[in-house]
Amino acid sequence: METDVKTDTAAHATTIPGLVLRPYAGEADIPAIARIQNAEWKADGLKARTSHDELAAEYGQVSAGFDPARDIRIAVVDGTAVGFCMRDWADATDGVREYRSRGYMEPAWRRRGIGTALLADAGKRARDLARSHETDRPRIQGTISNDTNPGAAALAERFGFARARWFFDMERPLPADLPDIGPLPAGIDVRTATQGDVRAIWDADHEAFRDHWGGHDSSDANLRRWTSAPEFDPSLFILAWDGDDIAAGVLNAIYPWENEELGIQRGWLDSVFTRRPWRRRGLARSLIVRSLHLLRERGMTSAALGVDADNPSGALGLYESAGFAVTEKTTAWRKPLEEGPFT
């Protein structure tokens, strides 16, 4: 069911007849958010879908960086939700504090100024939030766009954003003749993950990405988001252990609802990581091959992953050598946060 909540914090965009930007009203908004997000992805030719349960898990936790009541705005026209914007903030590894936003729009409502209203609102709310933060870091505003949606890129440029980074989705088939699983370095073994390993896995994954571009939310609330997601399944994880230490891992996932909607059987290598002391020893490649075999054993016919095109560890080349090819491209945009005094 959709909701037409009007509160004192709702913002009327008077230049667009009937448009109201209002706060997230809780789980009653999730069906509309899923509908809008999936409709945009479908219109843009993206092989991605989301579900009610997935969004409920994501929005069910509040952290400093993301509070749905604060950070989701719904665009409503005459009582019907037609778009929304999500915001969060993080301290990025390149020394900035980034206030990020991502908007979605029903395709039939594009080119009517609603995206402009949402992005302008996101900037205002980012500035308001930044004034409540004490930090020595430079403050910037960020957004992202898929390359199949040129309108989103044009909007970012019009608001003064510049391209900062590129990210790729990559896929490969899972035929019967996958590469053989090779030996591991001496002293390293692969063990099945248990629920008791989850915290150690989480910490190892985030530690490994501390020298990678972007902001990574390692909070307990974000950990709960991950473990409460309907697709969370540690039995899919491939972990390399050096004694009691996790040296490397591939955190695989299968999204049944997405696969059903798309008519495919695809598994994801959601995170591929190697901690610093164990890098340059072939662990990532070995665990990737093991992951491909595992996903095929689970009935998948293809595998996918996401990669930073400028990953400092050479991940793009590694994935290409493992048979993955780029299928989708996303641009990260940044600009200085336009601000008044913060004190």
Side-chain angles (χ1 to χ4, degrees), residues 2-6 11-13 15-22 32 35-36 74-84 105-106 108-110 112-115 117-118:
E2 293 184 8
T3 146
D4 185 20
V5 172
K6 297 214 171 47
H12 291 264
T15 59
I16 304 170
L19 174 65
V20 172
L21 304 184
R22 62 159 176 81
R35 169 178 55 77
I36 293 164
I74 313 290
V76 179
V77 176
D78 296 331
T80 299
V82 298
F84 71 97
M105 187 68 54
E106 277 275 12
W109 286 89
R110 287 175 171 173
R112 303 193 191 192
I114 298 173
L118 283 169

Side-chain angles (χ1 to χ4, degrees), residues 9 12 17 50 55-56 67 78 90 101 128-129 132 143 155 170 186 229 231 248 267 270 280 294 303-304 307 323 334:
T9 56
H12 291 264
T50 191
L55 292 174
D67 178 349
D78 296 331
S101 64
D128 290 345
L129 182 61
S132 70
T143 190
L155 182 62
M170 307 181 75
E231 70 280 355
D270 270 350
R280 310 301 177 189
L294 174 61
V307 63
R334 281 179 166 182

Side-chain angles (χ1 to χ4, degrees), residues 38-291:
N38 288 331
E40 175 168 304
W41 282 340
K42 182 177 181 180
D44 292 341
L46 302 181
K47 289 173 64 177
R49 299 292 185 270
T50 191
S51 68
H52 180 284
D53 290 347
E54 190 175 344
L55 292 174
E58 182 179 354
Y59 300 164
Q61 302 292 330
V62 174
S63 61
F66 177 61
D67 178 349
R70 179 193 69 198
D71 294 328
I72 298 176
R73 300 284 283 180
I74 313 290
V76 179
V77 176
D78 296 331
T80 299
V82 298
F84 71 97
C85 182
M86 292 178 56
R87 298 183 297 113
D88 68 353
W89 68 268
D91 285 336
T93 54
D94 57 347
V96 300
R97 177 161 291 182
E98 184 172 12
Y99 297 85
R100 305 176 293 202
S101 64
R102 173 73 187 268
Y104 296 87
M105 187 68 54
E106 277 275 12
W109 286 89
R110 287 175 171 173
R111 311 294 189 269
R112 303 193 191 192
I114 298 173
T116 299
L118 283 169
L119 189 53
D121 181 76
K124 175 185 180 302
R125 293 180 183 282
R127 292 189 295 273
D128 290 345
L129 182 61
R131 291 189 183 95
S132 70
H133 288 172
E134 293 185 6
T135 181
D136 294 330
R137 288 170 171 256
R139 295 169 170 90
I140 64 168
Q141 189 176 353
T143 190
I144 63 173
S145 66
N146 294 105
D147 283 12
T148 54
N149 185 351
L155 182 62
E157 288 180 329
R158 184 150 55 85
F159 271 77
F161 288 91
R163 289 175 173 85
R165 203 82 168 188
W166 287 264
F167 296 85
F168 300 155
D169 279 359
M170 307 181 75
E171 290 192 37
R172 63 151 294 158
L174 297 178
D177 57 342
L178 287 171
D180 292 336
I181 296 175
L184 291 165
I188 303 294
D189 66 294
V190 172
R191 300 202 300 267
T192 303
T194 68
Q195 287 291 339
D197 297 322
V198 167
R199 182 75 211 205
I201 295 167
W202 174 260
D203 291 341
D205 186 27
H206 281 270
E207 178 194 297
F209 280 96
R210 283 177 186 163
D211 56 358
H212 290 58
W213 192 86
H216 309 286
D217 182 359
S218 59
S219 68
D220 288 346
N222 205 33
L223 170 60
R224 290 191 294 271
R225 287 190 187 104
W226 181 48
T227 57
S228 64
E231 70 280 355
F232 179 75
D233 182 1
S235 74
L236 289 168
F237 301 167
I238 304 288
L239 300 171
W241 297 79
D242 187 348
D244 293 330
D245 293 319
I246 297 174
V250 181
L251 309 185
N252 300 299
I254 295 171
Y255 298 84
W257 192 89
E258 178 179 74
N259 284 344
E260 182 178 351
E261 289 293 305
L262 295 171
I264 59 176
Q265 290 297 317
R266 179 179 61 182
W268 280 85
L269 287 68
D270 270 350
S271 181
V272 180
F273 69 89
T274 305
R275 295 170 67 194
R276 290 176 190 80
W278 292 275
R279 289 178 180 171
R280 310 301 177 189
R281 298 171 64 181
L283 282 176
R285 179 181 298 278
S286 178
L287 299 188
I288 288 169
V289 172
R290 283 171 164 78
S291 294

